[in-house]
Amino acid sequence: MMQARTRAVVTLGIVAIVAGIAAAVNARDQSLFANAGQQLGGLFAFNLFGGILTAVLGVAAILGARAGRREVVTIAGAIFLLGAAITLLRTATTLNFLGGHGATLSFLLMMGVGLVALAISPEAKAGSA
């Protein structure tokens, strides 16, 4: 991966790690798969599993980018997108695996679309702006 692209993936990965750790700490008194996650400020909600998964995917994206492995970054982004789909379909049910709601959906979409776009877009040719 190009240096600028790697920096962008690392930035998104750091956002995921910080958000995931903060969400996991915030939800530490809940069961692992609590249906309604703990609200983290006015940003989003995750249960303990959602927070841990978010942090792990951030680490995976960073490691993939640093190793030049686009497929690892793509997989991390795809899992974020899967989490967004699960959140969309399960928000109003008792099977809300990540404990999220609408704002969580936005966060997961941002992470998934950003990582996948960075991983699958072609490299710029030498001499192009």
Side-chain angles (χ1 to χ4, degrees):
M1 288 186 136
M2 289 178 46
Q3 189 175 14
R5 189 183 310 249
T6 300
R7 279 195 311 267
V9 171
V10 168
T11 300
L12 284 175
I14 290 170
V15 168
I17 292 167
V18 170
I21 290 172
V25 168
N26 193 43
R28 69 187 174 279
D29 296 329
Q30 288 187 315
S31 66
L32 186 63
F33 295 103
N35 186 45
Q38 286 291 110
Q39 181 74 22
L40 182 63
L43 300 175
F44 50 77
F46 277 118
N47 57 24
L48 187 56
F49 175 72
I52 293 168
L53 181 63
T54 299
V56 168
L57 290 174
V59 169
I62 291 172
L63 293 176
R66 300 290 289 165
R69 303 290 307 261
R70 288 177 174 232
E71 61 274 9
V72 174
V73 178
T74 303
I75 291 169
I79 294 172
F80 273 117
L81 291 174
L82 178 62
I86 289 170
T87 300
L88 177 64
L89 297 173
R90 300 295 185 181
T91 297
T93 70
T94 59
L95 297 172
N96 190 351
F97 303 113
L98 302 176
H101 53 56
T104 310
L105 174 67
S106 298
F107 175 78
L108 293 170
L109 280 172
M110 179 260 316
M111 292 301 303
V113 169
L115 289 173
V116 170
L118 287 166
I120 67 171
S121 59
E123 296 287 348
K125 294 183 179 167
S128 66

